[in-house]
Coordinates of all heavy atoms in Angstrom, one line a residue:
M1 N 10.0 118.7 93.4 CA 10.6 118.0 92.2 C 11.4 116.8 92.6 O 11.4 115.8 91.9 CB 11.5 119.0 91.5 CG 10.8 120.2 90.8 SD 9.7 119.6 89.5 CE 10.9 119.1 88.2
T2 N 12.0 116.8 93.8 CA 12.7 115.7 94.3 C 11.7 114.5 94.5 O 12.1 113.4 94.2 CB 13.5 116.0 95.6 OG1 14.3 117.1 95.3 CG2 14.4 114.8 96.0
A3 N 10.6 114.8 95.1 CA 9.6 113.8 95.3 C 9.1 113.2 94.0 O 8.9 111.9 93.9 CB 8.4 114.3 96.1
I4 N 8.9 114.0 93.0 CA 8.5 113.5 91.7 C 9.6 112.6 91.1 O 9.3 111.5 90.6 CB 8.2 114.6 90.7 CG1 7.0 115.4 91.2 CG2 8.1 114.1 89.3 CD1 6.8 116.7 90.4
A5 N 10.9 113.0 91.2 CA 12.0 112.2 90.7 C 12.1 110.8 91.4 O 12.2 109.8 90.8 CB 13.3 112.9 90.9
F6 N 12.0 110.8 92.8 CA 12.0 109.6 93.5 C 10.8 108.7 93.2 O 10.8 107.5 93.2 CB 12.3 109.8 95.0 CG 13.7 110.1 95.3 CD1 14.0 111.4 95.7 CD2 14.7 109.2 95.1 CE1 15.3 111.7 96.1 CE2 16.0 109.5 95.4 CZ 16.3 110.8 95.9
G7 N 9.7 109.4 93.0 CA 8.5 108.7 92.6 C 8.6 107.9 91.3 O 8.2 106.8 91.1
L8 N 9.3 108.6 90.3 CA 9.5 108.0 89.1 C 10.5 106.7 89.2 O 10.3 105.7 88.6 CB 10.1 108.9 88.1 CG 9.2 110.0 87.5 CD1 10.0 111.1 86.7 CD2 8.1 109.4 86.7
A9 N 11.5 106.9 90.1 CA 12.4 105.8 90.4 C 11.6 104.6 91.0 O 11.8 103.4 90.7 CB 13.5 106.2 91.3
V10 N 10.7 104.9 91.9 CA 9.9 103.9 92.6 C 9.0 103.2 91.5 O 8.8 101.9 91.6 CB 9.1 104.4 93.8 CG1 8.0 103.5 94.2 CG2 10.0 104.8 94.9
I11 N 8.4 103.9 90.6 CA 7.5 103.4 89.6 C 8.4 102.4 88.7 O 7.9 101.3 88.4 CB 6.9 104.5 88.7 CG1 5.8 105.2 89.6 CG2 6.3 103.9 87.5 CD1 5.3 106.4 88.9
Y12 N 9.6 102.8 88.4 CA 10.4 102.0 87.6 C 10.7 100.6 88.3 O 10.6 99.6 87.7 CB 11.7 102.7 87.3 CG 12.8 101.9 86.6 CD1 12.8 101.6 85.3 CD2 13.9 101.5 87.4 CE1 13.8 100.8 84.7 CE2 14.9 100.7 86.8 CZ 14.8 100.4 85.5 OH 15.8 99.6 84.9
L13 N 11.1 100.7 89.6 CA 11.4 99.5 90.3 C 10.2 98.7 90.5 O 10.3 97.4 90.4 CB 12.0 99.9 91.7 CG 13.4 100.6 91.6 CD1 13.8 101.1 93.0 CD2 14.4 99.6 91.0
A14 N 9.1 99.3 90.8 CA 7.8 98.5 91.0 C 7.4 97.8 89.7 O 7.0 96.6 89.8 CB 6.7 99.4 91.5
Y15 N 7.6 98.5 88.6 CA 7.2 97.8 87.3 C 8.0 96.5 87.1 O 7.5 95.5 86.8 CB 7.5 98.8 86.2 CG 7.4 98.2 84.8 CD1 6.1 98.0 84.2 CD2 8.4 97.7 84.1 CE1 5.9 97.5 83.0 CE2 8.3 97.1 82.8 CZ 7.0 97.0 82.3 OH 6.9 96.5 81.1
F16 N 9.3 96.6 87.3 CA 10.1 95.4 87.1 C 10.0 94.4 88.2 O 10.1 93.2 88.0 CB 11.6 95.7 86.9 CG 11.9 96.2 85.5 CD1 12.2 97.5 85.3 CD2 11.8 95.4 84.5 CE1 12.5 98.0 84.0 CE2 12.1 95.8 83.2 CZ 12.4 97.1 83.0
Y17 N 9.6 94.8 89.4 CA 9.3 93.9 90.5 C 8.1 93.0 90.2 O 8.1 91.8 90.5 CB 9.0 94.7 91.8 CG 8.7 93.8 93.0 CD1 9.7 93.1 93.7 CD2 7.4 93.6 93.4 CE1 9.5 92.3 94.7 CE2 7.1 92.7 94.5 CZ 8.2 92.1 95.1 OH 7.9 91.3 96.2
F18 N 7.1 93.6 89.6 CA 5.9 92.8 89.3 C 5.9 92.1 87.9 O 5.1 91.2 87.6 CB 4.6 93.7 89.3 CG 4.3 94.1 90.8 CD1 4.5 95.4 91.2 CD2 3.9 93.2 91.7 CE1 4.2 95.8 92.5 CE2 3.7 93.5 93.0 CZ 3.8 94.9 93.4
V19 N 6.8 92.5 87.0 CA 6.9 92.0 85.7 C 7.8 90.8 85.6 O 7.5 89.8 84.9 CB 7.3 93.1 84.6 CG1 7.7 92.5 83.3 CG2 6.2 94.1 84.5
I20 N 9.0 90.8 86.3 CA 10.0 89.8 86.1 C 9.6 88.5 86.8 O 9.2 88.5 88.0 CB 11.4 90.3 86.6 CG1 11.9 91.4 85.8 CG2 12.3 89.1 86.7 CD1 13.2 92.0 86.2
D21 N 9.6 87.4 86.1 CA 9.5 86.1 86.6 C 10.2 85.1 85.6 O 10.9 85.6 84.7 CB 8.0 85.7 86.8 CG 7.2 85.6 85.5 OD1 7.8 86.0 84.5 OD2 6.1 85.2 85.5
Y22 N 10.1 83.9 85.8 CA 10.9 82.9 85.0 C 10.4 82.8 83.6 O 11.1 82.4 82.7 CB 10.8 81.5 85.7 CG 11.6 81.4 86.9 CD1 11.0 81.3 88.2 CD2 13.0 81.5 86.9 CE1 11.7 81.3 89.3 CE2 13.7 81.4 88.1 CZ 13.1 81.3 89.3 OH 13.8 81.2 90.4
G23 N 9.1 83.2 83.3 CA 8.6 83.0 82.0 C 8.8 84.3 81.1 O 8.3 84.3 80.0
V24 N 9.4 85.3 81.6 CA 9.5 86.6 80.8 C 10.6 86.4 79.8 O 11.7 86.0 80.0 CB 9.8 87.7 81.8 CG1 10.1 89.0 81.0 CG2 8.7 88.0 82.7
E25 N 10.2 86.8 78.5 CA 11.2 86.8 77.5 C 12.1 88.1 77.6 O 11.6 89.1 78.2 CB 10.5 86.8 76.1 CG 9.7 85.6 75.9 CD 8.9 85.7 74.6 OE1 9.1 86.7 73.8 OE2 8.1 84.8 74.3
K26 N 13.3 88.0 77.2 CA 14.2 89.2 77.4 C 13.8 90.4 76.6 O 14.2 91.5 77.0 CB 15.7 88.8 77.1 CG 16.0 88.5 75.6 CD 17.4 88.2 75.4 CE 17.8 88.0 74.0 NZ 19.2 87.7 73.8
E27 N 13.0 90.2 75.6 CA 12.5 91.4 74.8 C 11.6 92.3 75.7 O 11.4 93.5 75.4 CB 11.8 91.0 73.5 CG 12.7 90.5 72.5 CD 13.1 89.0 72.7 OE1 12.4 88.3 73.4 OE2 14.1 88.6 72.1
M28 N 10.9 91.7 76.6 CA 10.0 92.4 77.6 C 10.8 93.4 78.4 O 10.2 94.3 79.0 CB 9.2 91.4 78.4 CG 8.1 90.8 77.7 SD 6.8 91.9 77.2 CE 6.2 92.4 78.8
L29 N 12.0 93.1 78.6 CA 12.9 94.0 79.5 C 13.3 95.2 78.8 O 13.9 96.1 79.5 CB 14.0 93.2 80.1 CG 13.6 91.9 80.9 CD1 14.9 91.2 81.3 CD2 12.7 92.2 82.1
F30 N 13.1 95.3 77.5 CA 13.6 96.5 76.8 C 12.4 97.4 76.3 O 12.5 98.0 75.3 CB 14.4 96.1 75.6 CG 15.7 95.4 76.0 CD1 15.8 94.0 75.7 CD2 16.7 96.1 76.6 CE1 17.0 93.4 76.1 CE2 17.9 95.4 76.9 CZ 18.0 94.1 76.7
V31 N 11.4 97.4 77.1 CA 10.2 98.3 76.8 C 10.6 99.7 77.0 O 11.2 100.0 78.1 CB 9.0 97.9 77.7 CG1 7.8 98.8 77.4 CG2 8.7 96.4 77.5
P32 N 10.4 100.6 76.1 CA 10.8 102.0 76.2 C 10.3 102.8 77.4 O 11.0 103.6 78.0 CB 10.4 102.7 74.9 CG 10.1 101.6 74.0 CD 9.7 100.4 74.8
L33 N 9.0 102.6 77.8 CA 8.5 103.4 78.8 C 9.2 103.3 80.2 O 9.5 104.4 80.8 CB 7.0 103.1 79.0 CG 6.2 103.9 80.0 CD1 6.3 105.4 79.6 CD2 4.8 103.5 80.2
P34 N 9.5 102.1 80.7 CA 10.3 102.1 82.0 C 11.6 102.7 81.9 O 12.1 103.4 82.8 CB 10.3 100.6 82.3 CG 9.3 100.0 81.5 CD 9.1 100.8 80.3
L35 N 12.3 102.6 80.8 CA 13.6 103.2 80.6 C 13.5 104.7 80.5 O 14.3 105.4 81.1 CB 14.3 102.7 79.4 CG 14.5 101.1 79.3 CD1 15.1 100.7 78.0 CD2 15.4 100.7 80.5
F36 N 12.4 105.2 79.9 CA 12.2 106.7 79.9 C 11.9 107.2 81.3 O 12.4 108.2 81.7 CB 11.0 107.0 78.9 CG 10.6 108.4 79.0 CD1 11.4 109.4 78.3 CD2 9.5 108.8 79.7 CE1 11.1 110.7 78.3 CE2 9.2 110.1 79.7 CZ 9.9 111.1 79.0
I37 N 11.1 106.4 82.1 CA 10.8 106.9 83.4 C 12.0 106.9 84.3 O 12.2 107.8 85.0 CB 9.7 105.9 84.0 CG1 8.4 106.1 83.4 CG2 9.6 106.1 85.5 CD1 7.3 105.1 83.7
R38 N 12.9 105.9 84.2 CA 14.2 105.9 84.9 C 15.0 107.1 84.5 O 15.6 107.7 85.4 CB 14.9 104.6 84.7 CG 16.2 104.5 85.5 CD 17.0 103.3 85.1 NE 17.5 103.4 83.7 CZ 18.2 102.5 83.1 NH1 18.5 101.4 83.7 NH2 18.5 102.7 81.9
G39 N 15.2 107.3 83.2 CA 16.0 108.4 82.8 C 15.5 109.8 83.2 O 16.2 110.6 83.6
A40 N 14.2 109.9 83.1 CA 13.5 111.2 83.6 C 13.8 111.4 85.1 O 14.1 112.5 85.5 CB 12.0 111.2 83.3
G41 N 13.6 110.4 85.9 CA 13.9 110.5 87.3 C 15.4 110.9 87.6 O 15.6 111.8 88.4
A42 N 16.3 110.3 86.9 CA 17.7 110.6 87.1 C 18.0 112.0 86.7 O 18.8 112.7 87.4 CB 18.6 109.6 86.3
V43 N 17.5 112.5 85.6 CA 17.7 113.9 85.1 C 17.1 114.9 86.1 O 17.8 115.9 86.4 CB 17.1 114.1 83.7 CG1 17.1 115.5 83.3 CG2 17.9 113.3 82.7
I44 N 15.9 114.6 86.6 CA 15.3 115.6 87.5 C 16.1 115.6 88.8 O 16.3 116.7 89.4 CB 13.8 115.2 87.8 CG1 13.0 115.4 86.5 CG2 13.2 116.0 89.0 CD1 11.6 114.8 86.7
I45 N 16.5 114.5 89.3 CA 17.3 114.5 90.6 C 18.6 115.3 90.3 O 19.0 116.1 91.2 CB 17.6 113.0 91.0 CG1 16.4 112.4 91.6 CG2 18.7 113.0 92.1 CD1 16.5 110.9 91.9
S46 N 19.3 115.1 89.2 CA 20.5 115.8 88.9 C 20.3 117.3 88.9 O 21.1 118.1 89.4 CB 21.2 115.3 87.6 OG 21.4 113.9 87.7
I47 N 19.2 117.7 88.2 CA 18.9 119.1 88.1 C 18.7 119.7 89.4 O 19.1 120.8 89.8 CB 17.8 119.3 87.1 CG1 18.2 119.0 85.7 CG2 17.2 120.8 87.2 CD1 17.0 119.0 84.7
V48 N 17.9 119.0 90.2 CA 17.5 119.6 91.6 C 18.8 119.7 92.4 O 19.0 120.8 93.1 CB 16.5 118.7 92.3 CG1 16.4 119.0 93.7 CG2 15.2 118.8 91.6
F49 N 19.7 118.7 92.4 CA 20.9 118.8 93.3 C 21.8 119.9 92.8 O 22.4 120.7 93.6 CB 21.6 117.4 93.3 CG 20.9 116.4 94.1 CD1 21.3 115.1 94.1 CD2 19.9 116.7 95.0 CE1 20.7 114.1 94.8 CE2 19.2 115.8 95.8 CZ 19.6 114.5 95.7
L50 N 22.0 120.0 91.5 CA 22.9 121.0 91.0 C 22.4 122.4 91.2 O 23.1 123.3 91.5 CB 23.2 120.8 89.5 CG 24.1 119.6 89.2 CD1 24.1 119.4 87.6 CD2 25.5 119.8 89.7
T51 N 21.1 122.6 91.1 CA 20.5 123.9 91.3 C 20.6 124.3 92.7 O 20.9 125.4 93.1 CB 18.9 123.8 90.9 OG1 18.8 123.4 89.6 CG2 18.3 125.2 91.1
S52 N 20.4 123.3 93.7 CA 20.6 123.7 95.1 C 22.0 124.1 95.4 O 22.2 125.0 96.2 CB 20.1 122.5 96.0 OG 21.0 121.4 95.8
I53 N 23.0 123.5 94.8 CA 24.4 123.9 95.1 C 24.6 125.3 94.5 O 25.3 126.1 95.1 CB 25.3 122.8 94.4 CG1 25.3 121.5 95.2 CG2 26.8 123.4 94.4 CD1 26.1 120.4 94.6
V54 N 24.2 125.5 93.3 CA 24.4 126.8 92.6 C 23.8 127.9 93.4 O 24.3 129.0 93.6 CB 24.0 126.8 91.2 CG1 24.0 128.2 90.6 CG2 24.9 125.8 90.4
Q55 N 22.5 127.7 93.9 CA 21.8 128.7 94.6 C 22.4 129.0 96.0 O 22.1 130.0 96.6 CB 20.3 128.4 94.7 CG 19.6 128.5 93.4 CD 18.1 128.2 93.5 OE1 17.7 127.6 94.6 NE2 17.4 128.5 92.5
S56 N 23.2 128.1 96.5 CA 23.8 128.3 97.8 C 24.9 129.3 97.8 O 25.3 129.8 98.8 CB 24.3 127.0 98.4 OG 25.4 126.5 97.6
G57 N 25.4 129.7 96.6 CA 26.4 130.7 96.5 C 27.8 130.3 96.7 O 28.6 131.1 97.1
L58 N 28.1 129.0 96.5 CA 29.5 128.6 96.6 C 30.3 129.1 95.5 O 29.9 129.1 94.4 CB 29.5 127.0 96.6 CG 28.9 126.3 97.8 CD1 28.9 124.8 97.5 CD2 29.7 126.6 99.0
P59 N 31.6 129.4 95.8 CA 32.5 129.8 94.7 C 32.9 128.6 93.9 O 32.8 127.4 94.4 CB 33.7 130.4 95.5 CG 33.6 129.8 96.9 CD 32.2 129.6 97.1
F60 N 33.3 128.8 92.7 CA 33.6 127.7 91.8 C 34.8 126.8 92.3 O 34.8 125.6 91.9 CB 33.9 128.3 90.4 CG 34.1 127.2 89.4 CD1 33.0 126.4 88.9 CD2 35.3 126.8 88.9 CE1 33.1 125.4 88.0 CE2 35.5 125.8 87.9 CZ 34.4 125.2 87.5
Q61 N 35.7 127.4 93.1 CA 36.8 126.6 93.5 C 36.4 125.4 94.4 O 37.1 124.3 94.4 CB 37.8 127.4 94.3 CG 38.6 128.4 93.5 CD 37.7 129.7 93.2 OE1 36.7 129.9 93.9 NE2 38.2 130.5 92.3
V62 N 35.4 125.5 95.1 CA 34.9 124.4 96.0 C 33.7 123.7 95.5 O 33.1 122.9 96.1 CB 34.7 124.9 97.5 CG1 36.0 125.4 98.1 CG2 33.6 126.0 97.4
F63 N 33.3 124.0 94.3 CA 32.1 123.4 93.7 C 32.1 121.9 93.6 O 31.2 121.2 94.0 CB 31.8 124.1 92.3 CG 30.5 123.6 91.7 CD1 29.3 124.2 92.2 CD2 30.5 122.7 90.7 CE1 28.1 123.8 91.6 CE2 29.3 122.3 90.2 CZ 28.1 122.8 90.6
P64 N 33.2 121.3 93.1 CA 33.2 119.8 93.0 C 33.1 119.1 94.3 O 32.5 118.1 94.5 CB 34.6 119.5 92.3 CG 34.9 120.8 91.6 CD 34.4 121.9 92.4
Q65 N 33.8 119.7 95.4 CA 33.7 119.1 96.7 C 32.3 119.3 97.3 O 31.8 118.3 97.9 CB 34.7 119.8 97.6 CG 36.2 119.5 97.2 CD 37.1 120.7 97.4 OE1 36.6 121.8 97.7 NE2 38.4 120.5 97.2
A66 N 31.7 120.4 97.0 CA 30.3 120.6 97.5 C 29.4 119.6 96.8 O 28.4 119.1 97.4 CB 29.9 122.0 97.3
L67 N 29.6 119.4 95.5 CA 28.7 118.5 94.7 C 28.8 117.1 95.3 O 27.8 116.4 95.5 CB 29.2 118.5 93.3 CG 28.4 117.6 92.3 CD1 26.9 118.0 92.3 CD2 29.0 117.6 91.0
R68 N 30.1 116.7 95.6 CA 30.2 115.3 96.1 C 29.6 115.2 97.5 O 28.9 114.3 97.9 CB 31.7 115.0 96.2 CG 32.0 113.6 96.7 CD 33.5 113.3 96.7 NE 33.8 112.0 97.3 CZ 34.0 111.8 98.5 NH1 33.9 112.7 99.4 NH2 34.2 110.6 98.9
G69 N 29.8 116.2 98.4 CA 29.2 116.3 99.7 C 27.7 116.3 99.7 O 27.1 115.6 100.5
C70 N 27.1 117.1 98.8 CA 25.7 117.2 98.6 C 25.1 115.9 98.3 O 24.1 115.4 98.8 CB 25.3 118.3 97.6 SG 23.5 118.4 97.4
L71 N 25.7 115.2 97.3 CA 25.2 113.9 96.8 C 25.3 112.8 97.9 O 24.4 112.0 98.1 CB 25.9 113.4 95.6 CG 25.6 114.3 94.3 CD1 26.4 113.8 93.2 CD2 24.1 114.2 94.0
I72 N 26.4 112.8 98.7 CA 26.5 111.9 99.7 C 25.5 112.1 100.9 O 24.9 111.2 101.3 CB 28.0 111.9 100.3 CG1 28.9 111.3 99.2 CG2 28.1 111.1 101.6 CD1 30.4 111.4 99.6
T73 N 25.3 113.4 101.3 CA 24.4 113.6 102.3 C 22.9 113.4 101.9 O 22.1 112.9 102.7 CB 24.5 115.1 102.9 OG1 24.3 116.0 101.8 CG2 25.8 115.3 103.5
K74 N 22.6 113.6 100.6 CA 21.2 113.4 100.1 C 21.0 111.9 100.1 O 19.9 111.4 100.4 CB 21.0 114.0 98.8 CG 21.1 115.4 98.7 CD 19.8 116.1 99.1 CE 20.0 117.6 98.9 NZ 18.8 118.3 99.4
V75 N 22.0 111.1 99.8 CA 21.8 109.6 99.7 C 21.7 109.0 101.1 O 20.9 108.1 101.4 CB 23.0 109.0 99.0 CG1 23.0 107.5 99.1 CG2 22.9 109.4 97.5
K76 N 22.4 109.6 102.1 CA 22.4 109.1 103.4 C 21.1 109.3 104.1 O 20.7 108.6 105.0 CB 23.6 109.6 104.3 CG 24.9 109.0 103.9 CD 26.0 109.6 104.8 CE 27.3 108.9 104.4 NZ 28.4 109.5 105.3
T77 N 20.4 110.4 103.8 CA 19.2 110.8 104.6 C 18.0 110.2 104.0 O 17.9 109.6 103.0 CB 18.9 112.3 104.6 OG1 18.9 112.8 103.2 CG2 20.1 113.0 105.4

């Protein structure tokens, strides 16, 4: 699932990498499909990270610290 989410993010970035130039009208940047792809990727990444923290069995008192640590380590690797 993480690979699918990052794949969606790459598709979003590649779309705008090949579409944007000096002649593009600003209405072309508000196409719904790329925005949907970006949103779906962000939602899938959030669900995967939160599920991994919950399944690790952490008590609720340290949950926010674990969430922050999990996100930082996932971004660094």
Side-chain angles (χ1 to χ4, degrees):
M1 290 299 287
T2 305
I4 293 171
F6 282 113
L8 290 173
V10 167
I11 290 170
Y12 170 77
L13 292 172
Y15 174 80
F16 280 111
Y17 179 79
F18 291 112
V19 167
I20 292 180
D21 64 354
Y22 290 109
V24 173
E25 299 175 6
K26 70 178 182 180
E27 287 82 16
M28 284 292 296
L29 301 178
F30 297 109
V31 179
L33 184 62
L35 298 177
F36 175 76
I37 290 173
R38 181 187 66 183
V43 167
I44 292 172
I45 289 172
S46 300
I47 290 170
V48 168
F49 287 168
L50 287 172
T51 303
S52 68
I53 290 174
V54 169
Q55 287 181 351
S56 68
L58 289 174
F60 186 72
Q61 289 81 14
V62 295
F63 185 78
Q65 293 142 354
L67 178 62
R68 183 177 178 272
C70 177
L71 292 176
I72 289 173
T73 56
K74 297 278 184 185
V75 169
K76 285 184 179 179
T77 56

